Amino acid sequence: EAVAVCVSPCRFPAAVWENWFMAKGYRPLRRDQGFLLPPNMREWLPADHLVWFLLDTIEVLDTGEFDRGRRGGVGAAGYDPRMLLGLLVYAYCRGVRSSRQIERLCVTDVAYRVLCAQDVPDHCTIARFRADCQDAFTSLFRQVLLIAAQAGLGKFGTVAIDGTKICANASIDANRGGDWLGDWLGEQVSAMVSEAEHADAAEADGRERVDGDRVPASLDERGGRAQRIRQAAAQVSAQMRREQQEQDEKTAAAKTRRDRSEAGQPVRGRIPAGPHRLAEAQAHLAREIAMHQAKLDRRAALIGAGKKPMGQPPVPMERSSRIIRTRLVVQAALEAEQASAAATPSKNTLPKTVANITDPESRLMPTRKGFLQGYNAQLAVTSDQLIVAVALGQSSNDIASLVPMMQASIEAADALHARTGSDEHVIGVVLADAGYCSEANLAAPGPDRLIALNKNRNQTRAARDEPRTGPPPTGATPRQAMDHRLRTVEGSALYKRRGATVEPGIGNLKKILDRFSRRGLDSARSELHLAASAFNLLKVHRAAAI
């Protein structure tokens, strides 16, 4: 109570109370203070900062391919490619891919200022370096893997392979289908091409008036709006010709089936959909009626001749199960033909045959959240979450990617093992989800693998309710053998490591690259290698800091 009385604000005047509890002054702000000694950039960042690690790493890399990618000519001296490489890699490590944003950060951010040594490159130089040296990023990825191996990373005991869809530098609304191609020679598309050509010519004129080292002659030698529109039209035309050829072959096969059925010859298999479906079903019904009527007439003839027929008498025509089933087939074919004739295409429905006029090589990809315009990126990740192989494709299906990704993982492991001689750089088992399951992938030569046969919850339930022990039974098919292994305690526990291995790697990679900045399959693949290199360098830096 005595202390409360002493500090109570009611016992002191307001001026005394404010002087007691507030500071006497503030630190001086001298923004115009001159430096007595030149500043040392080494003091701007901590010694363990990522920038110093990247600079030291780039010094030991073979950057010959980046030097060959630089253009010569008259004018001011060009920027050091090692500086541009370090700037680009650090920006990707921080999730910054815009060349304009990198240029702004070189002015406002200390780490970027250290990387460029306060000699700020403009955004066109950064973008052109990324475009001109795109083939060198694959070599960069391999060299970074060797550095990671020497740092003790890359545990190949388990290698998980998975795919993820990454957005392209294109809008899904820029897809055009066959109806647009039909107007290719019309005024609307011709005007679109003419406008694109004028825009490309204007940009080319603007580039010619600026210093050659700072503004690229073409940020993408394959580029040009008009060229992309023509490429999209060519893709749609090729797809339509291919689909038309396949449809003609199916129609010819259906016509052959119909002719055989109308001739009274038996035809096996389901009646294919198309213009001949109803006619073949009706011919099939007529054949069944004729066959059943022949049975009835034959029995009646025997009875009329005074002979005793053998066996059970045939059922009446309306009770024959074969005729009842065939009439249902005819009814279904009739309803399908009527529905097809009455159907009208919706304006909101995207046609199946499409091409994107912004990035013609990108594709529509289904995801859990809907469709996106992009590419299918494949990753192979080790148990310590080091990306050892990447690939980029245009198909949303993962089945065809397993064998190439396993081969790329084997090559990476062999290269690291040749450098280190460590047993950790030898592939033990490959893990993949049900999206890669096929008879060919299960039986393909290569390392040992565990591939899910169905959804994870069903697989876990089967391993719990119907466990297996020991090796697969003799004579089991590849699918049966895989099912047996996944039901064992060892196989089930090993496969559970797949999600914890590759899913965090995919999530962290998409923090670096959630959308491609460049257009075209080769350009996007190059950018994926750059992002994977940045991902692995972050891993090495963090491992060295522990």
Side-chain angles (χ1 to χ4, degrees):
E1 295 179 357
V3 174
V5 171
C6 291
V7 301
S8 174
C10 299
R11 300 300 182 94
F12 296 93
V16 175
W17 179 258
E18 291 178 358
N19 291 333
W20 189 3
F21 285 98
M22 295 184 67
K24 299 298 183 181
Y26 300 96
R27 294 174 180 268
L29 297 175
R30 301 187 180 94
R31 295 188 177 92
D32 56 349
Q33 175 69 48
F35 290 101
L36 299 179
L37 295 174
N40 184 359
M41 298 178 69
R42 282 284 175 183
E43 299 176 356
W44 290 5
L45 296 171
D48 59 348
H49 197 273
L50 177 62
V51 165
W52 306 124
F53 169 77
L54 291 179
L55 292 176
D56 293 340
T57 302
I58 291 173
E59 287 298 323
V60 301
L61 293 178
D62 180 9
T63 58
E65 292 189 42
F66 294 95
D67 289 318
R68 288 190 292 271
R70 301 294 290 151
R71 299 177 180 177
V74 297
Y79 291 96
D80 190 335
R82 291 174 297 179
M83 181 274 288
L84 294 174
L85 177 61
L87 192 63
L88 202 57
V89 171
Y90 180 77
Y92 271 71
C93 288
R94 296 305 181 212
V96 179
R97 301 180 304 278
S98 168
S99 57
R100 295 179 183 272
Q101 180 67 7
I102 295 174
E103 179 186 4
R104 286 191 289 267
L105 290 172
C106 287
V107 178
T108 61
D109 191 284
V110 171
Y112 288 86
R113 292 180 65 181
V114 170
L115 280 165
C116 68
Q118 302 201 85
D119 187 10
V120 179
D122 62 275
H123 63 275
C124 289
T125 300
I126 299 170
R128 187 183 66 188
F129 175 79
R130 182 169 54 186
D132 290 347
C133 301
Q134 70 174 24
D135 296 334
F137 291 124
T138 303
S139 173
L140 173 67
F141 177 74
R142 297 195 188 101
Q143 294 186 63
V144 170
L145 276 183
L146 294 176
I147 293 175
Q150 293 176 343
L153 299 179
K155 303 184 186 304
F156 283 80
T158 56
V159 177
I161 297 175
D162 202 357
T164 182
K165 312 300 191 298
I166 300 181
C167 293
N169 187 6
S171 170
I172 194 173
D173 296 328
N175 285 293
R176 300 293 184 269
D179 53 345
W180 169 75
L181 182 62
D183 297 334
W184 172 247
L185 297 178
E187 297 180 357
Q188 182 177 0
V189 179
S190 298
M192 185 187 301
V193 175
S194 177
E195 181 182 354
E197 288 176 343
H198 286 308
D200 292 339
E203 290 184 0
D205 293 340
R207 284 192 287 265
E208 291 175 357
R209 293 193 298 268
V210 190
D211 175 21
D213 182 72
R214 292 187 170 269
V215 181
S218 174
L219 293 181
D220 191 345
E221 297 297 335
R222 297 179 296 270
R225 296 172 178 83
Q227 183 176 352
R228 288 197 298 270
I229 294 174
R230 294 191 179 97
Q231 184 179 355
Q235 285 189 11
V236 173
S237 179
Q239 292 177 24
M240 292 181 66
R241 286 195 302 269
R242 185 166 54 252
E243 291 177 358
Q244 185 62 42
Q245 182 179 359
E246 294 175 355
Q247 185 62 35
D248 292 344
E249 293 175 355
K250 292 180 180 178
T251 303
K255 179 66 167 56
T256 303
R257 285 175 54 96
R258 172 186 174 180
D259 294 341
R260 287 173 55 86
S261 182
E262 290 177 344
Q265 301 178 7
V267 180
R268 294 182 178 274
R270 184 186 296 272
I271 301 176
H276 300 288
R277 177 182 178 182
L278 179 58
E280 182 180 345
Q282 291 172 342
H284 187 193
L285 177 59
R287 187 173 68 252
E288 290 292 339
I289 291 175
M291 292 172 58
H292 194 78
Q293 187 63 45
K295 294 179 183 179
L296 294 174
D297 294 343
R298 186 166 53 251
R299 186 176 182 85
L302 290 174
I303 294 174
K307 298 179 180 180
K308 182 179 179 180
M310 302 294 292
Q312 293 291 331
V315 299
M317 184 76 68
E318 63 275 5
R319 292 176 54 191
S320 173
S321 60
R322 294 175 63 91
I323 294 177
I324 293 174
R325 287 198 302 268
T326 308
R327 282 175 175 166
L328 292 176
V329 172
V330 172
Q331 182 64 26
L334 181 60
E335 293 176 355
E337 184 172 304
Q338 294 174 350
S340 177
T344 56
S346 174
K347 296 181 179 180
N348 298 327
T349 302
L350 195 66
K352 294 183 179 180
T353 304
V354 296
N356 194 280
I357 61 175
T358 305
D359 184 358
E361 296 185 353
S362 63
R363 296 292 184 266
L364 281 172
M365 296 283 173
T367 67
R368 295 179 180 178
K369 299 181 179 179
F371 284 85
L372 62 80
Q373 188 73 32
Y375 297 95
N376 187 2
Q378 298 289 322
L379 279 71
V381 184
T382 60
S383 58
D384 54 352
Q385 295 181 4
L386 185 73
I387 299 177
V388 296
V390 294
L392 198 67
Q394 297 170 301
S395 174
S396 59
N397 196 301
D398 294 333
I399 290 180
S401 303
L402 181 66
V403 174
M405 288 300 296
M406 286 197 302
Q407 184 60 35
S409 302
I410 292 173
E411 294 175 358
D414 292 343
L416 301 190
H417 183 72
R419 176 66 65 90
T420 64
S422 173
D423 293 337
E424 291 184 344
H425 298 149
V426 177
I427 293 182
V429 61
V430 174
L431 307 177
D433 61 18
Y436 297 89
C437 182
S438 70
E439 293 291 341
N441 288 341
L442 292 172
D448 185 25
R449 72 210 68 165
L450 286 177
I451 304 177
L453 303 180
N454 46 40
K455 293 183 178 180
N456 187 44
R457 62 176 181 269
N458 298 334
Q459 183 172 289
T460 303
R461 186 184 304 113
R464 182 186 67 245
D465 298 341
E466 300 178 7
R468 299 286 189 269
T469 57
T474 305
T477 64
R479 181 175 289 272
Q480 292 171 344
M482 184 60 63
D483 181 65
H484 180 94
R485 289 188 59 190
L486 291 172
R487 290 172 185 258
T488 62
V489 176
E490 298 80 5
S492 178
L494 183 59
Y495 180 79
K496 286 181 180 179
R497 297 168 59 182
R498 185 205 67 85
T501 300
V502 68
E503 298 295 347
I506 290 177
N508 289 324
L509 177 68
K510 296 188 83 168
K511 293 179 181 177
I512 296 175
L513 182 68
D514 62 346
R515 183 185 182 91
F516 290 107
S517 298
R518 304 190 60 222
R519 294 167 180 167
L521 180 61
D522 293 338
S523 300
R525 184 182 294 114
S526 167
E527 191 173 5
L528 180 62
H529 278 92
L530 172 59
S533 301
F535 177 95
N536 287 340
L537 285 170
L538 279 173
K539 280 286 182 183
V540 178
H541 177 251
R542 290 165 182 165
I546 296 178

